[in-house]
Amino acid sequence: MQRNMLRRPVTCALATGVSLSLSACGGGSSSNMPPPAPATMAVTISDASSDDWACVGVRVLSIALVPAGGGSPVTVWSAPTPAPYVNLEQLDQLGEILGNVSVPVGSYSGAILTVAANPGDVLLTVASDPQSGFPLPGGTSVAAGDIQIQGGQGDAGNLTVTVNINFDTPLAVSTGTSNALDLEFDLAHPAFIVGHTPPAAAGTTLWAVNFKGPVRRLAVPDITQLVLRHTYGTVTGVTSAALSITKDFAAYPATNPETAIASAQALTIAADGANGTIVYDLDGGSRSVVSNFGGESSLNGKYVRVAARYQGDGTLVAVRVWASSQFETVWMSPEGHVLHVDTTNAVITVADEDGHGVPVAVNAGTQFFFRTPYNAIADATPIATGTGFLANQDLVRGFKVHVSAVDPLAVPMVADTIDIETAAYGGHISNASGTALTYTSQYLIANDNYSVSLGYIADTLVNGFDDDGNPISGFKWWDFTFPTTVTFGSGATTSFAATAGGAVNFGGTVGALPASGQSVATWGDGGSNASGWHVRDAVLVPTPLPLGAVSAAFAGNTFAISVPGGTLPVTVDVSTTMGSATLVYQIDRSNGLITVSPIDITTPAGLAAISAGLGVAAPVKVFGVPQAPVAPATTGTLRAYVIVYYTGTMPSM
């Protein structure tokens, strides 16, 4: 079965501290009727991450909703002054709670996101181990003068970028239901951060940051499915039923010792009366399980880190709480992507937000948790204990984790608990069948690579929702190139196996490029297997080709490309269909400045532009999904997801 729905990309973020700014719904100022009663809405920011960056920090200034019936936008929050940074690399398919805010009841067709665009308002720190060919060494902090923020408007010192986000379906906000807004940044979007080296820069790489296109709304049909990043705060009140906290944020760039940036954003987080909330006293070294906070008055005034989940009614419930009188103590818990897994010495390395790797030892007492907010018991129950978990490739490079240490100041740090927030496997696909697939990773460091066979989840396991809000069961997959089409239901595994067998052959030293993908895995298959990783979904991801040259000009929605080291040209198929059109960007470099402009090839003007830009010998960058050759052809084709062509000063081949 195929249904049109918005896909979630397989690809971070500390959200800003906000002080709520409310306004009445602007749906018609001529009426004397009072504005509709407000409803409570969860506001979160999430992200799809990139392997190349440890920190992509931006200053988010405000979010407003656009009424579907017209009228003034409704500001749902505004940042304090000065606005803290949002580190977009920490929310790999996670939600950062901005708050449960009051929003006028109504239907909203879009959002307006405003970000700061002055020099220094974007921070870029390279991951400790970026992908092959990345132009900067690991851990490098990019100078503010080398970052060019696209689309800034206003006076010097007050530059901003306004990002208009059109919703695929209206956001309906009503009382008596759980309402949620999740805005997602896609760091893996090829046009989000573009590096270039103009002659005048004397070899320095400049980075263009483009917010228009890589930001979208992620629909949240079931709030209980949201996996939330740990929330930091200061406890302002304790009752038997709940903790009251104000959110805290860490300083960027990191300070030593790490200090809290307080906000006025208040949250109420209830105890789990049915399953118990685990409370860790980091100062006293104790651990307790409580069904209410009646005996936890000592938490008042302390800093806390909370692993929480949403109930169906929008209530936040604490799964685990870490508390200390010092912010640095709750903060010093490495959070990030796993860089290395040393099974011989039982040590994992976790990337911190400065791009450095933090070694963490695993011992016989280390507990591993897998975040499953929709299943309260599973969310609070370890899936494994001890070093054996590492040996079977059950924790690999690319997982997003949050570590709690036995002693945060010990060297090396020893893990008390490890929260697996995202279990992501990926790489070249092989041996795909109706029951399993094999992922073979392609990292520069050989010891980081794995080749692992993973089964699919059971057909009966609920796995998200379709575009009509109906639950999907069983494995699902989609082609990143055509994100609005998701295949699920009967035959989904066999159709995936057939499609994932594609490859394109450039010959020469480049050779054949197989299909690649990424999957989010879950512990157990939801059926007869209670343990082991099983894939919930698979995404055929676009293969980035090296900068090539057009060997056959664009015509009839195709062109051919040749790449260095290859002996055979490959045909690139371009879609001009509304909703699934290939994303095309024109990059102009003139006088040392780079401008990234999206080209809409569903219009005559857009087709004319790409036709002019893709003449024979023109340099071109293509990201696409390999398709198997159809006889008598032998090279296969590439279905284009993103095409980048150039004007002005041309890049070197």
Side-chain angles (χ1 to χ4, degrees), residues 382-417:
I383 60 174
T385 301
T387 59
F389 192 72
L390 304 181
N392 198 35
Q393 297 180 323
D394 284 327
L395 187 73
V396 299
R397 175 169 173 168
F399 276 34
K400 172 67 167 56
V401 301
H402 201 149
V403 177
S404 292
V406 175
D407 178 1
L409 301 179
V411 179
M413 193 178 294
V414 177
D416 181 31
T417 63

PDB file of all heavy atoms in Angstrom, residues 382-417:
ATOM      1  N   PRO A 382      15.457  -1.183  31.972  1.00  0.00           N
ATOM      2  CA  PRO A 382      16.655  -1.375  31.143  1.00  0.00           C
ATOM      3  C   PRO A 382      16.493  -2.556  30.197  1.00  0.00           C
ATOM      4  O   PRO A 382      15.898  -3.577  30.549  1.00  0.00           O
ATOM      5  CB  PRO A 382      17.759  -1.617  32.172  1.00  0.00           C
ATOM      6  CG  PRO A 382      17.064  -2.052  33.428  1.00  0.00           C
ATOM      7  CD  PRO A 382      15.736  -1.384  33.408  1.00  0.00           C
ATOM      8  N   ILE A 383      17.039  -2.412  28.981  1.00  0.00           N
ATOM      9  CA  ILE A 383      16.981  -3.502  28.010  1.00  0.00           C
ATOM     10  C   ILE A 383      18.181  -4.426  28.140  1.00  0.00           C
ATOM     11  O   ILE A 383      18.166  -5.550  27.623  1.00  0.00           O
ATOM     12  CB  ILE A 383      16.888  -2.968  26.568  1.00  0.00           C
ATOM     13  CG1 ILE A 383      18.102  -2.100  26.218  1.00  0.00           C
ATOM     14  CG2 ILE A 383      15.589  -2.201  26.365  1.00  0.00           C
ATOM     15  CD1 ILE A 383      18.142  -1.652  24.760  1.00  0.00           C
ATOM     16  N   ALA A 384      19.242  -3.957  28.812  1.00  0.00           N
ATOM     17  CA  ALA A 384      20.432  -4.781  28.998  1.00  0.00           C
ATOM     18  C   ALA A 384      21.278  -4.164  30.094  1.00  0.00           C
ATOM     19  O   ALA A 384      21.154  -2.980  30.420  1.00  0.00           O
ATOM     20  CB  ALA A 384      21.240  -4.892  27.707  1.00  0.00           C
ATOM     21  N   THR A 385      22.159  -4.994  30.674  1.00  0.00           N
ATOM     22  CA  THR A 385      23.097  -4.541  31.693  1.00  0.00           C
ATOM     23  C   THR A 385      24.454  -5.175  31.417  1.00  0.00           C
ATOM     24  O   THR A 385      24.541  -6.374  31.129  1.00  0.00           O
ATOM     25  CB  THR A 385      22.621  -4.928  33.103  1.00  0.00           C
ATOM     26  OG1 THR A 385      21.337  -4.353  33.355  1.00  0.00           O
ATOM     27  CG2 THR A 385      23.604  -4.439  34.165  1.00  0.00           C
ATOM     28  N   GLY A 386      25.516  -4.367  31.470  1.00  0.00           N
ATOM     29  CA  GLY A 386      26.859  -4.905  31.366  1.00  0.00           C
ATOM     30  C   GLY A 386      27.488  -4.782  29.999  1.00  0.00           C
ATOM     31  O   GLY A 386      26.893  -4.280  29.043  1.00  0.00           O
ATOM     32  N   THR A 387      28.718  -5.274  29.897  1.00  0.00           N
ATOM     33  CA  THR A 387      29.548  -5.082  28.711  1.00  0.00           C
ATOM     34  C   THR A 387      29.130  -5.929  27.522  1.00  0.00           C
ATOM     35  O   THR A 387      29.493  -5.628  26.390  1.00  0.00           O
ATOM     36  CB  THR A 387      31.013  -5.393  29.044  1.00  0.00           C
ATOM     37  OG1 THR A 387      31.103  -6.749  29.506  1.00  0.00           O
ATOM     38  CG2 THR A 387      31.531  -4.463  30.132  1.00  0.00           C
ATOM     39  N   GLY A 388      28.379  -6.995  27.759  1.00  0.00           N
ATOM     40  CA  GLY A 388      27.988  -7.871  26.660  1.00  0.00           C
ATOM     41  C   GLY A 388      27.155  -7.182  25.604  1.00  0.00           C
ATOM     42  O   GLY A 388      27.106  -7.628  24.454  1.00  0.00           O
ATOM     43  N   PHE A 389      26.512  -6.068  25.965  1.00  0.00           N
ATOM     44  CA  PHE A 389      25.657  -5.349  25.019  1.00  0.00           C
ATOM     45  C   PHE A 389      26.462  -4.781  23.859  1.00  0.00           C
ATOM     46  O   PHE A 389      25.940  -4.612  22.754  1.00  0.00           O
ATOM     47  CB  PHE A 389      24.927  -4.229  25.760  1.00  0.00           C
ATOM     48  CG  PHE A 389      23.815  -3.584  24.981  1.00  0.00           C
ATOM     49  CD1 PHE A 389      22.625  -4.249  24.753  1.00  0.00           C
ATOM     50  CD2 PHE A 389      23.959  -2.299  24.486  1.00  0.00           C
ATOM     51  CE1 PHE A 389      21.592  -3.656  24.048  1.00  0.00           C
ATOM     52  CE2 PHE A 389      22.937  -1.690  23.775  1.00  0.00           C
ATOM     53  CZ  PHE A 389      21.748  -2.377  23.557  1.00  0.00           C
ATOM     54  N   LEU A 390      27.747  -4.491  24.111  1.00  0.00           N
ATOM     55  CA  LEU A 390      28.574  -3.894  23.065  1.00  0.00           C
ATOM     56  C   LEU A 390      29.060  -4.928  22.061  1.00  0.00           C
ATOM     57  O   LEU A 390      29.319  -4.597  20.903  1.00  0.00           O
ATOM     58  CB  LEU A 390      29.796  -3.196  23.681  1.00  0.00           C
ATOM     59  CG  LEU A 390      29.529  -2.125  24.747  1.00  0.00           C
ATOM     60  CD1 LEU A 390      30.858  -1.537  25.207  1.00  0.00           C
ATOM     61  CD2 LEU A 390      28.599  -1.052  24.238  1.00  0.00           C
ATOM     62  N   ALA A 391      29.208  -6.161  22.494  1.00  0.00           N
ATOM     63  CA  ALA A 391      29.894  -7.162  21.669  1.00  0.00           C
ATOM     64  C   ALA A 391      29.100  -7.570  20.433  1.00  0.00           C
ATOM     65  O   ALA A 391      29.688  -7.973  19.427  1.00  0.00           O
ATOM     66  CB  ALA A 391      30.212  -8.394  22.509  1.00  0.00           C
ATOM     67  N   ASN A 392      27.781  -7.469  20.503  1.00  0.00           N
ATOM     68  CA  ASN A 392      26.941  -7.974  19.421  1.00  0.00           C
ATOM     69  C   ASN A 392      26.466  -6.873  18.484  1.00  0.00           C
ATOM     70  O   ASN A 392      25.436  -7.021  17.834  1.00  0.00           O
ATOM     71  CB  ASN A 392      25.731  -8.726  19.997  1.00  0.00           C
ATOM     72  CG  ASN A 392      25.073  -9.630  18.975  1.00  0.00           C
ATOM     73  OD1 ASN A 392      25.741 -10.226  18.125  1.00  0.00           O
ATOM     74  ND2 ASN A 392      23.751  -9.722  19.054  1.00  0.00           N
ATOM     75  N   GLN A 393      27.186  -5.750  18.429  1.00  0.00           N
ATOM     76  CA  GLN A 393      26.823  -4.608  17.592  1.00  0.00           C
ATOM     77  C   GLN A 393      25.429  -4.073  17.937  1.00  0.00           C
ATOM     78  O   GLN A 393      24.705  -3.580  17.089  1.00  0.00           O
ATOM     79  CB  GLN A 393      26.903  -4.980  16.100  1.00  0.00           C
ATOM     80  CG  GLN A 393      28.307  -5.358  15.653  1.00  0.00           C
ATOM     81  CD  GLN A 393      28.385  -5.716  14.182  1.00  0.00           C
ATOM     82  OE1 GLN A 393      27.484  -6.331  13.615  1.00  0.00           O
ATOM     83  NE2 GLN A 393      29.489  -5.337  13.549  1.00  0.00           N
ATOM     84  N   ASP A 394      25.077  -4.172  19.237  1.00  0.00           N
ATOM     85  CA  ASP A 394      23.815  -3.610  19.709  1.00  0.00           C
ATOM     86  C   ASP A 394      23.955  -2.139  20.059  1.00  0.00           C
ATOM     87  O   ASP A 394      22.960  -1.470  20.335  1.00  0.00           O
ATOM     88  CB  ASP A 394      23.311  -4.386  20.932  1.00  0.00           C
ATOM     89  CG  ASP A 394      22.714  -5.734  20.556  1.00  0.00           C
ATOM     90  OD1 ASP A 394      22.127  -5.829  19.457  1.00  0.00           O
ATOM     91  OD2 ASP A 394      22.842  -6.685  21.351  1.00  0.00           O
ATOM     92  N   LEU A 395      25.187  -1.622  20.067  1.00  0.00           N
ATOM     93  CA  LEU A 395      25.451  -0.194  20.185  1.00  0.00           C
ATOM     94  C   LEU A 395      26.547   0.119  19.182  1.00  0.00           C
ATOM     95  O   LEU A 395      27.653  -0.410  19.286  1.00  0.00           O
ATOM     96  CB  LEU A 395      25.894   0.183  21.601  1.00  0.00           C
ATOM     97  CG  LEU A 395      26.038   1.688  21.863  1.00  0.00           C
ATOM     98  CD1 LEU A 395      24.673   2.347  21.952  1.00  0.00           C
ATOM     99  CD2 LEU A 395      26.822   1.946  23.146  1.00  0.00           C
ATOM    100  N   VAL A 396      26.249   0.943  18.177  1.00  0.00           N
ATOM    101  CA  VAL A 396      27.198   1.197  17.103  1.00  0.00           C
ATOM    102  C   VAL A 396      27.335   2.698  16.880  1.00  0.00           C
ATOM    103  O   VAL A 396      26.557   3.509  17.404  1.00  0.00           O
ATOM    104  CB  VAL A 396      26.761   0.517  15.775  1.00  0.00           C
ATOM    105  CG1 VAL A 396      26.672  -0.983  15.951  1.00  0.00           C
ATOM    106  CG2 VAL A 396      25.424   1.086  15.280  1.00  0.00           C
ATOM    107  N   ARG A 397      28.327   3.048  16.105  1.00  0.00           N
ATOM    108  CA  ARG A 397      28.524   4.450  15.742  1.00  0.00           C
ATOM    109  C   ARG A 397      27.251   4.986  15.081  1.00  0.00           C
ATOM    110  O   ARG A 397      26.633   4.324  14.240  1.00  0.00           O
ATOM    111  CB  ARG A 397      29.700   4.600  14.788  1.00  0.00           C
ATOM    112  CG  ARG A 397      29.875   6.021  14.294  1.00  0.00           C
ATOM    113  CD  ARG A 397      31.167   6.246  13.566  1.00  0.00           C
ATOM    114  NE  ARG A 397      31.194   7.579  12.972  1.00  0.00           N
ATOM    115  CZ  ARG A 397      32.263   8.159  12.464  1.00  0.00           C
ATOM    116  NH1 ARG A 397      33.421   7.519  12.467  1.00  0.00           N
ATOM    117  NH2 ARG A 397      32.198   9.371  11.941  1.00  0.00           N
ATOM    118  N   GLY A 398      26.870   6.201  15.465  1.00  0.00           N
ATOM    119  CA  GLY A 398      25.685   6.838  14.896  1.00  0.00           C
ATOM    120  C   GLY A 398      24.489   6.849  15.817  1.00  0.00           C
ATOM    121  O   GLY A 398      23.567   7.646  15.623  1.00  0.00           O
ATOM    122  N   PHE A 399      24.466   5.968  16.849  1.00  0.00           N
ATOM    123  CA  PHE A 399      23.379   6.024  17.821  1.00  0.00           C
ATOM    124  C   PHE A 399      23.439   7.365  18.554  1.00  0.00           C
ATOM    125  O   PHE A 399      24.512   7.920  18.790  1.00  0.00           O
ATOM    126  CB  PHE A 399      23.512   4.901  18.842  1.00  0.00           C
ATOM    127  CG  PHE A 399      22.947   3.575  18.417  1.00  0.00           C
ATOM    128  CD1 PHE A 399      22.999   3.160  17.096  1.00  0.00           C
ATOM    129  CD2 PHE A 399      22.373   2.714  19.339  1.00  0.00           C
ATOM    130  CE1 PHE A 399      22.492   1.931  16.699  1.00  0.00           C
ATOM    131  CE2 PHE A 399      21.864   1.483  18.965  1.00  0.00           C
ATOM    132  CZ  PHE A 399      21.917   1.087  17.648  1.00  0.00           C
ATOM    133  N   LYS A 400      22.293   7.898  18.924  1.00  0.00           N
ATOM    134  CA  LYS A 400      22.221   9.112  19.741  1.00  0.00           C
ATOM    135  C   LYS A 400      21.938   8.680  21.182  1.00  0.00           C
ATOM    136  O   LYS A 400      20.938   8.005  21.440  1.00  0.00           O
ATOM    137  CB  LYS A 400      21.113  10.040  19.228  1.00  0.00           C
ATOM    138  CG  LYS A 400      20.817  11.255  20.107  1.00  0.00           C
ATOM    139  CD  LYS A 400      21.965  12.232  20.121  1.00  0.00           C
ATOM    140  CE  LYS A 400      21.544  13.583  20.727  1.00  0.00           C
ATOM    141  NZ  LYS A 400      20.989  13.502  22.069  1.00  0.00           N
ATOM    142  N   VAL A 401      22.836   9.040  22.113  1.00  0.00           N
ATOM    143  CA  VAL A 401      22.723   8.568  23.484  1.00  0.00           C
ATOM    144  C   VAL A 401      22.886   9.717  24.469  1.00  0.00           C
ATOM    145  O   VAL A 401      23.403  10.788  24.134  1.00  0.00           O
ATOM    146  CB  VAL A 401      23.786   7.477  23.795  1.00  0.00           C
ATOM    147  CG1 VAL A 401      23.634   6.285  22.874  1.00  0.00           C
ATOM    148  CG2 VAL A 401      25.204   8.045  23.709  1.00  0.00           C
ATOM    149  N   HIS A 402      22.439   9.470  25.687  1.00  0.00           N
ATOM    150  CA  HIS A 402      22.674  10.381  26.804  1.00  0.00           C
ATOM    151  C   HIS A 402      23.173   9.526  27.964  1.00  0.00           C
ATOM    152  O   HIS A 402      22.480   8.620  28.418  1.00  0.00           O
ATOM    153  CB  HIS A 402      21.403  11.120  27.191  1.00  0.00           C
ATOM    154  CG  HIS A 402      21.655  12.389  27.942  1.00  0.00           C
ATOM    155  ND1 HIS A 402      20.832  13.486  27.869  1.00  0.00           N
ATOM    156  CD2 HIS A 402      22.659  12.752  28.788  1.00  0.00           C
ATOM    157  CE1 HIS A 402      21.312  14.458  28.630  1.00  0.00           C
ATOM    158  NE2 HIS A 402      22.414  14.028  29.196  1.00  0.00           N
ATOM    159  N   VAL A 403      24.392   9.823  28.422  1.00  0.00           N
ATOM    160  CA  VAL A 403      25.064   9.014  29.438  1.00  0.00           C
ATOM    161  C   VAL A 403      24.931   9.686  30.798  1.00  0.00           C
ATOM    162  O   VAL A 403      25.088  10.903  30.921  1.00  0.00           O
ATOM    163  CB  VAL A 403      26.556   8.838  29.091  1.00  0.00           C
ATOM    164  CG1 VAL A 403      27.282   8.055  30.190  1.00  0.00           C
ATOM    165  CG2 VAL A 403      26.713   8.151  27.744  1.00  0.00           C
ATOM    166  N   SER A 404      24.652   8.881  31.816  1.00  0.00           N
ATOM    167  CA  SER A 404      24.749   9.352  33.197  1.00  0.00           C
ATOM    168  C   SER A 404      25.893   8.610  33.858  1.00  0.00           C
ATOM    169  O   SER A 404      25.955   7.375  33.812  1.00  0.00           O
ATOM    170  CB  SER A 404      23.443   9.089  33.953  1.00  0.00           C
ATOM    171  OG  SER A 404      22.421   9.901  33.440  1.00  0.00           O
ATOM    172  N   ALA A 405      26.827   9.360  34.458  1.00  0.00           N
ATOM    173  CA  ALA A 405      28.060   8.781  34.973  1.00  0.00           C
ATOM    174  C   ALA A 405      27.929   8.422  36.443  1.00  0.00           C
ATOM    175  O   ALA A 405      27.188   9.062  37.204  1.00  0.00           O
ATOM    176  CB  ALA A 405      29.208   9.754  34.777  1.00  0.00           C
ATOM    177  N   VAL A 406      28.672   7.392  36.846  1.00  0.00           N
ATOM    178  CA  VAL A 406      28.774   7.067  38.263  1.00  0.00           C
ATOM    179  C   VAL A 406      29.411   8.241  38.996  1.00  0.00           C
ATOM    180  O   VAL A 406      28.938   8.678  40.044  1.00  0.00           O
ATOM    181  CB  VAL A 406      29.611   5.779  38.456  1.00  0.00           C
ATOM    182  CG1 VAL A 406      29.827   5.511  39.946  1.00  0.00           C
ATOM    183  CG2 VAL A 406      28.922   4.593  37.789  1.00  0.00           C
ATOM    184  N   ASP A 407      30.486   8.777  38.435  1.00  0.00           N
ATOM    185  CA  ASP A 407      31.161   9.963  38.964  1.00  0.00           C
ATOM    186  C   ASP A 407      31.526  10.844  37.776  1.00  0.00           C
ATOM    187  O   ASP A 407      32.428  10.512  37.002  1.00  0.00           O
ATOM    188  CB  ASP A 407      32.415   9.566  39.737  1.00  0.00           C
ATOM    189  CG  ASP A 407      33.191  10.779  40.280  1.00  0.00           C
ATOM    190  OD1 ASP A 407      32.740  11.927  40.070  1.00  0.00           O
ATOM    191  OD2 ASP A 407      34.244  10.565  40.915  1.00  0.00           O
ATOM    192  N   PRO A 408      30.834  11.975  37.588  1.00  0.00           N
ATOM    193  CA  PRO A 408      31.099  12.811  36.411  1.00  0.00           C
ATOM    194  C   PRO A 408      32.531  13.332  36.328  1.00  0.00           C
ATOM    195  O   PRO A 408      32.981  13.709  35.250  1.00  0.00           O
ATOM    196  CB  PRO A 408      30.101  13.975  36.579  1.00  0.00           C
ATOM    197  CG  PRO A 408      29.060  13.478  37.509  1.00  0.00           C
ATOM    198  CD  PRO A 408      29.752  12.521  38.418  1.00  0.00           C
ATOM    199  N   LEU A 409      33.250  13.371  37.457  1.00  0.00           N
ATOM    200  CA  LEU A 409      34.602  13.910  37.459  1.00  0.00           C
ATOM    201  C   LEU A 409      35.671  12.840  37.273  1.00  0.00           C
ATOM    202  O   LEU A 409      36.857  13.159  37.171  1.00  0.00           O
ATOM    203  CB  LEU A 409      34.857  14.669  38.769  1.00  0.00           C
ATOM    204  CG  LEU A 409      33.913  15.842  39.053  1.00  0.00           C
ATOM    205  CD1 LEU A 409      34.262  16.490  40.376  1.00  0.00           C
ATOM    206  CD2 LEU A 409      33.960  16.860  37.926  1.00  0.00           C
ATOM    207  N   ALA A 410      35.282  11.569  37.217  1.00  0.00           N
ATOM    208  CA  ALA A 410      36.256  10.488  37.074  1.00  0.00           C
ATOM    209  C   ALA A 410      36.822  10.468  35.662  1.00  0.00           C
ATOM    210  O   ALA A 410      36.159  10.849  34.697  1.00  0.00           O
ATOM    211  CB  ALA A 410      35.597   9.149  37.385  1.00  0.00           C
ATOM    212  N   VAL A 411      38.066  10.028  35.529  1.00  0.00           N
ATOM    213  CA  VAL A 411      38.723   9.888  34.230  1.00  0.00           C
ATOM    214  C   VAL A 411      39.339   8.491  34.161  1.00  0.00           C
ATOM    215  O   VAL A 411      40.243   8.172  34.928  1.00  0.00           O
ATOM    216  CB  VAL A 411      39.814  10.954  34.020  1.00  0.00           C
ATOM    217  CG1 VAL A 411      40.486  10.768  32.669  1.00  0.00           C
ATOM    218  CG2 VAL A 411      39.227  12.367  34.123  1.00  0.00           C
ATOM    219  N   PRO A 412      38.876   7.598  33.265  1.00  0.00           N
ATOM    220  CA  PRO A 412      37.745   7.867  32.371  1.00  0.00           C
ATOM    221  C   PRO A 412      36.420   7.807  33.131  1.00  0.00           C
ATOM    222  O   PRO A 412      36.330   7.191  34.203  1.00  0.00           O
ATOM    223  CB  PRO A 412      37.851   6.724  31.356  1.00  0.00           C
ATOM    224  CG  PRO A 412      38.433   5.591  32.133  1.00  0.00           C
ATOM    225  CD  PRO A 412      39.420   6.234  33.076  1.00  0.00           C
ATOM    226  N   MET A 413      35.436   8.423  32.565  1.00  0.00           N
ATOM    227  CA  MET A 413      34.106   8.395  33.123  1.00  0.00           C
ATOM    228  C   MET A 413      33.522   6.987  32.990  1.00  0.00           C
ATOM    229  O   MET A 413      33.735   6.304  31.991  1.00  0.00           O
ATOM    230  CB  MET A 413      33.242   9.405  32.355  1.00  0.00           C
ATOM    231  CG  MET A 413      31.918   9.732  32.992  1.00  0.00           C
ATOM    232  SD  MET A 413      31.055  10.984  31.998  1.00  0.00           S
ATOM    233  CE  MET A 413      32.123  12.412  32.209  1.00  0.00           C
ATOM    234  N   VAL A 414      32.810   6.531  34.010  1.00  0.00           N
ATOM    235  CA  VAL A 414      32.163   5.221  33.974  1.00  0.00           C
ATOM    236  C   VAL A 414      30.657   5.430  33.904  1.00  0.00           C
ATOM    237  O   VAL A 414      30.084   6.195  34.694  1.00  0.00           O
ATOM    238  CB  VAL A 414      32.530   4.384  35.214  1.00  0.00           C
ATOM    239  CG1 VAL A 414      31.785   3.047  35.197  1.00  0.00           C
ATOM    240  CG2 VAL A 414      34.035   4.151  35.271  1.00  0.00           C
ATOM    241  N   ALA A 415      30.012   4.760  32.961  1.00  0.00           N
ATOM    242  CA  ALA A 415      28.580   4.948  32.747  1.00  0.00           C
ATOM    243  C   ALA A 415      27.768   4.207  33.799  1.00  0.00           C
ATOM    244  O   ALA A 415      27.959   3.008  34.012  1.00  0.00           O
ATOM    245  CB  ALA A 415      28.194   4.468  31.357  1.00  0.00           C
ATOM    246  N   ASP A 416      26.866   4.935  34.447  1.00  0.00           N
ATOM    247  CA  ASP A 416      25.880   4.317  35.321  1.00  0.00           C
ATOM    248  C   ASP A 416      24.696   3.848  34.482  1.00  0.00           C
ATOM    249  O   ASP A 416      24.294   2.692  34.547  1.00  0.00           O
ATOM    250  CB  ASP A 416      25.432   5.314  36.387  1.00  0.00           C
ATOM    251  CG  ASP A 416      24.416   4.720  37.346  1.00  0.00           C
ATOM    252  OD1 ASP A 416      24.472   3.499  37.596  1.00  0.00           O
ATOM    253  OD2 ASP A 416      23.554   5.472  37.852  1.00  0.00           O
ATOM    254  N   THR A 417      24.164   4.774  33.664  1.00  0.00           N
ATOM    255  CA  THR A 417      23.088   4.441  32.728  1.00  0.00           C
ATOM    256  C   THR A 417      23.400   5.064  31.376  1.00  0.00           C
ATOM    257  O   THR A 417      24.062   6.102  31.298  1.00  0.00           O
ATOM    258  CB  THR A 417      21.717   4.965  33.208  1.00  0.00           C
ATOM    259  OG1 THR A 417      21.749   6.403  33.266  1.00  0.00           O
ATOM    260  CG2 THR A 417      21.360   4.405  34.571  1.00  0.00           C
TER     261      THR A 417
END
